[in-house]
Amino acid sequence: MDVVDLARWQFAVTTLSHFPVAVLEKAWVRTLPLLILPALVVRGVAFVYRGKRHGRRWRRNGDRCLSWGSLVPAFLWGVVFGAIVRGIALVENREFAGTFWDLLNPFALLGGLTTLALFVTHGAVFPALKTRGRIRRKAKGAAEKSGVVAAVLVVAFLTWAQAAEGPIAGVLLAAVAIGAWGAGMVADFFGREGWAFLGSAAAIGAAVISLFAALHPEVPPSTAGSENGLNIENAASTSKIVQIMTWAAVVFLPLVLVYQSWTYWVFRRRIGVRNIPAGHN
């Protein structure tokens, strides 16, 4: 598990600790987030063991595990966010009255496709930034193609999300996200992968914040009546738990940022095929 995975799970644990009521009674609601964990486990194991053997079949299966272990979470994160933003069927006592298939509504599926395209493009920009030669050209070409698809999807998804009842702040953030994504893709087209990476990262961050702005103060709304929904007041944990988790975030978030910055600095130079020792691929 790398530092990015650690940051994701720190966010998840912090959210659930602040809002324990959001972990609802029926397992249907928890199914989608829990499917992300085995995918990340498969991905992490593939990273470690792919190079332990040199057989072509072994390497090919390792590549498949890496691909699917990355694509599945990228899709499911968007489905989860989409289902939350659209709202879920909460009835009296905040019990989920729907089924698993209710969570896979068109808006949530569009959210999954959007995050998948965003993460694929963002991930392709990074090797284009850090490599040279044929690998850089292939990564740059992949980012350009997936970036166009992502641009269409993100415009559709954010417009749909904000059209219902998005506040002006959410609309502005959505516009910032779309603009940052466009700027990043233009930079990638002209071979400025560093700016492209920053632009895509800023776009993803602004898009996520715009969704939270559209939700506020609900987490999430109820499609069975607003009186049954969860909001930041009735879903919050006790003040003591909130204080503990806030201090944990204050202490550990800077450490994560410092460590991530250090890794970017250490691996700041481009590499190519000639930098790979013979027999390692």
Side-chain angles (χ1 to χ4, degrees):
M1 182 176 289
D2 59 21
V3 68
V4 179
D5 293 330
L6 177 62
R8 292 192 190 108
W9 285 107
Q10 180 184 3
F11 169 78
V13 171
T14 303
T15 301
L16 293 180
S17 297
H18 276 72
F19 302 103
V21 181
V23 184
L24 302 172
E25 296 297 327
K26 289 193 176 181
W28 297 115
V29 185
R30 301 192 295 265
T31 301
L32 287 177
L34 289 179
L35 288 176
I36 297 173
L37 180 57
L40 291 177
V41 170
V42 168
R43 175 175 175 269
V45 170
F47 268 121
V48 174
Y49 288 97
R50 180 188 179 277
K52 298 297 184 181
R53 292 170 59 179
H54 299 291
R56 181 174 297 178
R57 182 178 179 182
W58 178 269
R59 297 291 182 87
R60 185 168 57 248
N61 288 334
D63 291 339
R64 289 171 178 167
C65 290
L66 285 172
S67 298
W68 288 107
S70 301
L71 293 175
V72 169
F75 176 72
L76 289 182
W77 276 121
V79 174
V80 171
F81 268 106
I84 291 175
V85 172
R86 177 183 178 272
I88 56 180
L90 297 178
V91 294
E92 191 175 358
N93 297 325
R94 302 186 184 95
E95 291 187 357
F96 181 55
T99 66
F100 173 77
W101 301 110
D102 293 332
L103 302 176
L104 302 180
N105 55 78
F107 181 76
L109 294 176
L110 177 60
L113 292 175
T114 302
T115 54
L116 176 61
L118 288 174
F119 294 166
V120 166
T121 305
H122 187 61
V125 168
F126 187 72
L129 171 65
K130 304 307 297 180
T131 59
R132 60 169 65 96
R134 183 170 61 89
I135 298 176
R136 179 189 178 188
R137 290 193 297 271
K138 291 182 67 175
K140 181 175 180 294
E144 290 173 356
K145 294 175 183 177
S146 61
V148 173
V149 176
V152 174
L153 291 173
V154 75
V155 169
F157 180 65
L158 292 182
T159 301
W160 192 350
Q162 300 297 331
E165 51 182 325
I168 185 63
V171 174
L172 292 176
L173 285 168
V176 169
I178 295 170
W181 187 261
M185 293 304 98
V186 171
D188 179 70
F189 180 79
F190 286 103
R192 304 300 299 269
E193 289 90 356
W195 288 108
F197 187 75
L198 290 176
S200 60
I204 293 172
V208 172
I209 297 174
S210 74
L211 293 179
F212 280 112
L215 275 173
H216 185 80
E218 297 177 295
V219 283
S222 172
T223 58
S226 58
E227 68 279 2
N228 299 317
L230 295 168
N231 55 50
I232 59 176
E233 295 182 359
N234 63 25
S237 186
T238 63
S239 59
K240 187 64 175 179
I241 296 298
V242 172
Q243 290 176 11
I244 293 173
M245 295 308 301
T246 299
W247 281 110
V250 168
V251 172
F252 290 106
L253 181 58
L255 295 178
V256 171
L257 294 176
V258 168
Y259 177 78
Q260 187 70 64
S261 300
W262 177 75
T263 58
Y264 275 104
W265 174 256
V266 170
F267 298 103
R268 65 190 180 278
R269 300 187 185 280
R270 293 182 183 271
I271 62 173
V273 176
R274 67 187 184 198
N275 301 108
I276 303 175
H280 294 74
N281 51 49

